[in-house]
Amino acid sequence: MKGLYCKLSETGEVKFIIQESSVPTTIGKHQVKVQVKGCALSPVDIKLCEDLKLQREHVPVGREIAGVVLQVGPKVTFFQPDDEVVGILPLDAEMSGLCDVVLIDEYNLVQKPEKVSWFEAAGAIKDALRAYTALHTLARMAVGHTLLVLDGASPFGLLAIQLAHYHGVKVLATAVSPEDQKFLEQLRPSVARVIGVWDSKVDLVDSCLEETGGLGVDIVIDTGVQLYEEEPEVKKHLPHKHDIISLLGVGGHWVTTEDNLQLDPPDSRSLFLKAASVSFLNEEVWEASRARQGRYLHIMKDVVEKLATGTFRPLVENPVPLYEATVSMEMVQRRQLRKRVVVKL
């Protein structure tokens, strides 16, 4: 049985290889054996694995899976054979989600509604969990708030927009290309304002303040920020941290994915004067505490229900066959593709 794994070269370059692997012959008391039908390819956070001391010679790739239960452990209560499930393999998983069969703890899975495809389930589960974490857990979203989603046409950005609309939040979004701007402008329910940051003539702060009558937005979710005046080309489309602080309203919440964010004293002073807050978005923390396991499962159940009702309509490009997984993963890791899903027939 073959799976996809990540290997870090001596030069620090990330390489992806197909490697043979086998399923353990014994199944744990609370484990479920799942035949994988769909697996999403998302960028591998090598630094996070190093920080958590999970760095191995070969890191399994493809953690968002959907499939059919083949066998359950003696103390499993949530599932039985032939159930259709979706879930996220833990960071310390030994097996790649692209293997034909994986073992996973029952507390990392939820039932998949019949009307939700393998493709949609695997492609949306982690981005939707990320959206819930940002908007509910960190930002405490409420009806009447104004939200700015940076890179709104990304798979995560789109689900954040849809979740916000569901809860009666006014949404602004940025587009990093003319194609993304056209896509966002055609969304229904509609985005209040699409800000084309690909156009150098467009000012993000002015656009947000104009749309909010000078009050600023209540919540910002970024996809990274520029920390310094001189940044690499890959960060040129990102807003500067000063812009984010400037467009926040009183009592606003800045939810950031920038793990090495540095705030100077004037930045902190500006946030203090607005009584604003900064939160770091890391959806992996749900598996770090058993006390939050129930909430984690509740979120995933709500995600699949919203997929079934059409509240969530994920944006994932056409599925790729298994033999193209290595090339696709390399492009996803380099951010040349946003996300890919491998579907097994």
Side-chain angles (χ1 to χ4, degrees), residues 5-8 15 17 19 54-59:
Y5 295 83
C6 170
K7 183 177 182 180
L8 198 63
K15 293 186 177 181
I17 57 173
Q19 181 175 287
L54 296 174
Q55 187 65 13
R56 291 154 283 178
E57 183 181 0
H58 297 111
V59 178

Side-chain angles (χ1 to χ4, degrees), residues 272-301:
F272 168 77
L273 292 173
K274 295 183 178 187
S277 64
V278 180
S279 301
F280 292 89
L281 178 56
N282 176 17
E283 71 280 2
E284 303 293 355
V285 297
W286 290 108
E287 297 178 36
S289 171
R290 291 184 180 180
R292 292 185 173 268
Q293 196 70 47
R295 187 177 297 179
Y296 176 52
L297 288 175
H298 175 77
I299 291 173
M300 291 206 293
K301 286 178 182 177

